[in-house]
């Protein structure tokens, strides 16, 4: 396997393993100290989501590093898709792709290019329209990594997020008859 991306992935995963172990310890400790409050669960889930995102980022960085430049080696489609037209040799210039990779790792790339997963990836890149969001996202990640090495490829939803979050009102079944929840609006 290519040393640089593999080493970066291995180091990141080791670091994340330590974070996960620490998170589990903290979660067990906090669980003993707190009741089953929603706020406690929410904080735990937020930390877990952040760790999951870091794991996804590590693998995405690895895939971008090893597959970078694949798009320039896609061959034009000259006829309607048939079983013969879906042959990897007709869709992808493997020799040119290898020429742009470190020769010490050609065996790895040879094996990788023979996998069903790689073949399916190239087929999707060749036959799926440009509106495929996952392929467009991956291409954007490849492009961004070529411009700025070490840049984060995944973003955490924060205050700048355009996602809508629905928070359900509290269950009023536990309230005495005639009582209701009231919220006050705070001005910032």
């Amino acid at each position: 396997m290519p040393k640089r991306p593999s080493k970066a992935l291995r180091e990141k995963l080791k670091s994340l393993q330590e974070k996960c172990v620490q998170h589990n310890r903290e979660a067990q400790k906090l669980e003993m100290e707190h009741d089953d409050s929603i706020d406690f669960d929410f904080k735990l889930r937020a930390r877990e989501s952040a760790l999951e995102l870091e794991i996804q980022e590590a693998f995405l960085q690895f895939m971008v590093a090893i597959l970078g430049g694949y798009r320039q080696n896609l061959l034009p489609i000259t006829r309607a898709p048939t079983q013969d037209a879906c042959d990897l040799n007709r869709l992808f210039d493997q020799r040119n792709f290898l020429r742009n990779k470190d020769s010490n790792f050609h065996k790895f790339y040879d094996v990788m290019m023979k996998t069903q997963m790689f073949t399916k990836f190239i087929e999707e890149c060749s036959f799926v329209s440009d509106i495929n969001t996952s392929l467009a996202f991956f291409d954007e990640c490849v492009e961004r990594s070529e411009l700025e090495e070490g840049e984060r490829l995944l973003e955490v939803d924060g205050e700048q997020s355009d996602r809508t979050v629905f928070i359900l009102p509290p269950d009023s079944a536990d309230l005495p008859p005639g009582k209701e929840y009231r919220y006050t609006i705070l001005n910032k």
Side-chain angles (χ1 to χ4, degrees), residues 74-186:
L74 293 175
L75 299 173
I77 300 169
T78 57
R79 57 184 177 198
T82 63
Q83 187 171 3
D84 187 39
C86 292
D87 179 30
L88 184 63
N89 295 321
R90 294 181 182 266
L91 300 174
F92 190 71
D93 187 351
Q94 295 177 31
R95 286 186 182 158
N96 193 47
F97 181 72
L98 283 176
R99 250 185 253 134
N100 295 315
K101 301 297 179 185
D102 187 338
S103 61
N104 294 324
F105 308 113
H106 281 192
K107 184 154 179 77
F108 166 79
Y109 284 106
D110 278 333
V111 172
M112 181 193 73
M113 288 188 290
K114 291 176 184 171
T115 64
Q116 183 179 5
M117 185 173 77
F118 184 79
T119 303
K120 182 70 173 162
F121 173 72
I122 295 302
E123 284 177 11
E124 286 187 18
C125 292
S126 298
F127 294 114
V128 177
S129 71
D130 290 340
I131 59 172
N132 183 315
T133 56
S134 60
L135 290 176
F137 171 73
F138 186 75
D139 287 343
E140 180 185 320
C141 290
V142 169
E143 196 175 291
R144 285 175 35 199
S145 73
E146 290 169 355
L147 298 175
E148 289 187 42
E149 195 170 312
E151 180 185 348
R152 294 227 28 185
L153 300 176
L154 297 176
E155 298 172 9
V156 180
D157 288 341
E159 293 179 18
Q160 305 297 332
S161 175
D162 61 353
R163 292 186 186 185
T164 302
V165 177
F166 292 98
I167 300 175
L168 298 174
D171 185 11
S172 59
D174 296 337
L175 290 175
K179 296 284 185 175
E180 62 182 29
Y181 285 108
R182 294 198 182 254
Y183 296 95
T184 57
I185 299 174
L186 302 173

Side-chain angles (χ1 to χ4, degrees), residues 17-34:
Q17 181 182 20
E18 291 171 13
K19 283 184 178 183
C20 288
V21 168
Q22 182 181 1
H23 169 72
N24 285 339
R25 283 188 200 129
E26 289 176 9
Q28 289 173 350
K29 182 181 174 186
L30 290 172
E31 198 170 351
M32 286 186 247
E33 295 173 1
H34 289 83

